[in-house]
């Protein structure tokens, strides 16, 4: 799976046709995942989780933290110990 990055989005597909994507904002050393969009035809293939992992890898490289206002991404980040070091609850 080839994941691309633009200013505030990671996606699969092309810049013109993003097949699945995750949007985010960055502020004060914290990246906030806002939306994870996976169309019905691609659901159940783990694409959303792969996109969250890509964001986590990006955050680690930058030495930042991540949180999510998107329920899906928040659940992945909260429920997986591999993200414990970078996960920052939104209330903190």
């Amino acid at each position: 799976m080839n994941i691309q990055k633009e200013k505030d989005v990671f996606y699969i597909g092309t810049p013109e046709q993003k097949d699945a994507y995750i949007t985010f904002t960055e502020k004060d050393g914290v990246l906030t995942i806002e939306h994870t969009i996976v169309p019905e035809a691609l659901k159940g293939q783990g694409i959303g989780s792969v996109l969250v992992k890509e964001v986590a890898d990006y955050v680690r490289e930058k030495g930042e933290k991540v949180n999510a206002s998107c329920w899906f991404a928040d659940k992945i980040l909260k429920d997986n110990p591999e993200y414990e070091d970078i996960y920052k609850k939104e209330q903190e």
Side-chain angles (χ1 to χ4, degrees):
M1 185 176 317
N2 188 19
I3 299 174
Q4 304 293 316
K5 181 189 177 300
E6 289 180 2
K7 182 179 183 278
D8 57 359
V9 63
F10 282 93
Y11 63 92
I12 60 167
T14 66
E16 300 78 26
Q17 177 63 47
K18 294 173 177 70
D19 296 325
Y21 59 92
I22 200 165
T23 61
F24 61 88
T25 57
E26 289 183 84
K27 183 178 177 185
D28 300 328
V30 179
L31 183 145
T32 301
I33 297 171
E34 295 181 331
H35 301 285
T36 305
I37 307 297
V38 177
E40 201 62 43
L42 298 176
K43 286 191 177 174
Q45 299 177 37
I47 292 171
S49 297
V50 169
L51 288 168
V52 171
K53 183 181 182 328
E54 189 73 19
V55 170
D57 291 346
Y58 172 75
V59 166
R60 277 195 185 101
E61 282 179 22
K62 292 182 74 173
E64 296 183 345
K65 297 287 184 180
V66 64
N67 67 27
S69 55
C70 163
W71 70 267
F72 174 81
D74 189 59
K75 180 164 178 41
I76 298 291
L77 293 167
K78 203 180 331 182
D79 291 351
N80 288 290
E82 69 187 282
Y83 303 127
E84 212 171 76
D85 62 318
I86 58 169
Y87 178 64
K88 177 179 171 100
K89 293 180 188 155
E90 240 182 315
Q91 305 87 295
E92 290 180 358

